[in-house]
Amino acid sequence: MRLPRRAALGLLPLLLLLPPAPEAAKKPTPCHRCRGLVDKFNQGMVDTAKKNFGGGNTAWEEKTLSKYESSEIRLLEILEGLCESSDFECNQMLEAQEEHLEAWWLQLKSEYPDLFEWFCVKTLKVCCSPGTYGPDCLACQGGSQRPCSGNGHCSGDGSRQGDGSCQCHVGYQGPLCTDCMDGYFSSLRNETHSICTVRTGLSDSYPPCCLSLECWRGVGHAWIRGRNTHTQPGYSSRVWIAAFSPACDESCKTCSGLTNRDCGECEVGWVLDEGACVDVDECAAETPPCSAAQFCKNANGSYTCEECDSSCVGCTGEGPGNCKECIPGYSREHGQCADVDECSLAEKACVRKNENCYNTPGSYVCVCPDGFEETEDACVPPTEAEGTGGERPPQLPTREDL
């Protein structure tokens, strides 16, 4: 089924009359266009999150027409708002890929909650996941989790372009950006991190940028209350300061200071909010990132998916107390899913005469006592079995006699 949309392609003759874009304007890549479309789609989901069918009787409408949150009506509203009428490339891409978006919304959203990963990376294959590059989405130098040791940019990161090489930040060099350039020294180096620090020679007067103590905050062991604490022996007229460049806040991809308000760009998993990079709570997304049998645990810049308790049908957290529903054979007792002891119920679970009932986790079994003969309707005691048969049937040899 194709949903109706405004015919944006009818604007093509008008657009052709517009003056050409400056040659300096860089044409967006297919990945950039796809990512932009997904960003607008996600924003459309946010904008329509609290809407309903608008008929005045939401309960009846949702009972009769299905829920608005997953309806075709909501999808149409989102699609209608994706592209401006003058954005020819956006409308062209939407026209070509509308069926994919419809299929994801109506059939695949639960299985593939990340629209960008499904649409741009796996379906259209115009982008790569973060930390990978090139036609085959290979891992960047240093690995996809922390490309270029966190000290540079991977060429082609997240796209089907580039060669995966590292373009190091100022102060760093080498294939993985772990070595320090001339004028820098290694202030920290271990298996996971390498931090290069600049060593600056300063005159005995404050430099123009440091006319106040506020300027020196975070510089290191340089000045305390205006008094030089690191003058080198034999150098009365010159001060040597190890001006440390500490690692950025974990929320920053690049930074000019120590806090999450000093980020030049937020790390993956963080978003700029009121001037600061804050953690994205992926677990609070309208479409949870985990499967129906898992629950989501948010972490700084990321999240993990944990398995629900075995007694749960869907859950919101760890243990049987956080089940959405209980599996068959379990019921909610004292706020958590507990095994139902079918053998202790008023209505007998095992209905044959003389039959024993044994409870098991989530179920039960019915067994005749030792020595009793099992029939369709009863467990017959040995004496009754002998009486009904007249002569005692010949005894079969035991396994040991064979």
Side-chain angles (χ1 to χ4, degrees):
M1 181 200 72
R2 293 188 62 82
L3 300 177
R5 297 179 50 250
R6 57 174 176 263
L9 294 180
L11 296 169
L12 180 57
L14 176 61
L15 291 174
L16 293 177
L17 298 177
L18 295 176
E23 292 184 1
K26 188 175 181 180
K27 186 177 180 180
T29 64
C31 178
H32 181 80
R33 290 199 298 269
C34 187
R35 186 185 294 274
L37 193 68
V38 168
D39 288 343
K40 291 177 181 178
F41 194 102
N42 289 334
Q43 185 60 49
M45 292 176 64
V46 173
D47 294 341
T48 59
K50 295 184 180 180
K51 290 187 178 182
N52 53 43
F53 287 107
N57 190 342
T58 302
W60 179 88
E61 289 167 343
E62 292 195 346
K63 182 178 179 181
T64 307
L65 304 175
S66 80
K67 288 188 175 297
Y68 170 81
E69 64 181 7
S70 57
S71 68
E72 296 173 6
I73 299 298
R74 185 183 178 195
L75 172 61
L76 178 58
E77 291 182 8
I78 295 173
L79 293 178
E80 284 289 332
L82 287 185
C83 302
E84 297 291 337
S85 58
S86 59
D87 191 341
F88 175 72
E89 288 190 342
C90 178
N91 281 287
Q92 186 182 45
M93 184 176 189
L94 180 57
E95 187 76 19
Q97 306 302 334
E98 187 174 348
E99 289 187 354
H100 278 131
L101 294 173
E102 292 171 12
W104 178 81
W105 178 267
L106 299 173
Q107 303 171 10
L108 303 171
K109 186 166 58 170
S110 296
E111 186 177 356
Y112 303 100
D114 189 333
L115 175 58
F116 171 76
E117 186 74 17
W118 177 83
F119 184 56
C120 299
V121 178
K122 297 184 182 298
T123 302
L124 300 188
K125 297 183 178 179
V126 294
C127 297
C128 291
S129 300
T132 62
Y133 74 96
D136 299 319
C137 293
L138 302 176
C140 290
Q141 293 290 326
S144 60
Q145 295 300 313
R146 202 162 178 267
C148 304
S149 308
N151 298 327
H153 175 73
C154 168
S155 173
D157 191 350
S159 74
R160 297 276 170 162
Q161 301 176 337
D163 58 9
S165 61
C166 291
Q167 300 164 359
C168 300
H169 298 327
V170 175
Y172 297 88
Q173 62 182 358
L176 299 180
C177 300
T178 54
D179 301 325
C180 299
M181 294 176 61
D182 291 343
Y184 293 76
F185 67 93
S186 178
S187 58
L188 172 65
R189 183 157 187 166
N190 55 32
E191 293 180 357
T192 59
H193 289 76
S194 175
I195 297 178
C196 296
T197 299
V198 61
R199 187 181 295 278
T200 307
L202 301 175
S203 67
D204 52 1
S205 62
Y206 287 99
C209 71
C210 288
L211 297 178
S212 69
L213 288 179
E214 184 68 24
C215 170
W216 295 102
R217 184 169 297 174
V219 170
H221 53 281
W223 298 86
I224 299 177
R225 296 181 181 174
R227 179 169 56 86
N228 174 18
T229 63
H230 201 67
T231 302
Q232 298 296 317
Y235 291 87
S236 58
S237 62
R238 180 170 292 273
V239 178
W240 290 88
I241 298 175
F244 285 93
S245 302
C248 295
D249 185 84
E250 62 176 334
S251 64
C252 303
K253 197 167 192 176
T254 60
C255 69
S256 58
L258 303 177
T259 73
N260 65 338
R261 292 188 173 276
D262 301 314
C263 301
E265 182 182 353
C266 296
E267 269 287 6
V268 175
W270 305 76
V271 66
L272 190 65
D273 183 19
E274 296 183 355
C277 287
V278 297
D279 174 52
V280 175
D281 186 357
E282 294 86 355
C283 301
E286 181 181 349
T287 302
C290 302
S291 72
Q294 298 175 318
F295 65 94
C296 183
K297 291 180 68 174
N298 190 50
N300 282 344
S302 185
Y303 66 93
T304 58
C305 294
E306 306 287 344
E307 296 297 322
C308 293
D309 188 84
S310 59
S311 64
C312 298
V313 178
C315 65
T316 57
E318 186 176 3
N322 287 300
C323 298
K324 292 181 179 178
E325 296 180 21
C326 302
I327 63 172
Y330 284 75
S331 65
R332 196 171 295 278
E333 294 182 11
H334 308 294
Q336 64 180 20
C337 289
D339 174 51
V340 174
D341 185 356
E342 293 85 356
C343 299
S344 64
L345 298 178
E347 183 178 351
K348 294 180 63 176
C350 300
V351 297
R352 293 186 300 179
K353 184 179 179 181
N354 299 323
E355 192 171 33
N356 290 334
C357 180
Y358 296 93
N359 188 54
T360 61
S363 187
Y364 63 95
V365 293
C366 300
V367 180
C368 286
D370 288 343
F372 281 57
E373 182 178 334
E374 185 172 350
T375 67
E376 184 177 347
D377 301 320
C379 295
V380 182
T383 54
E384 293 183 17
E386 292 172 4
T388 56
E391 295 184 3
R392 185 173 181 177
Q395 188 75 20
L396 293 175
T398 65
R399 182 178 298 177
E400 290 78 5
D401 293 336
L402 293 177

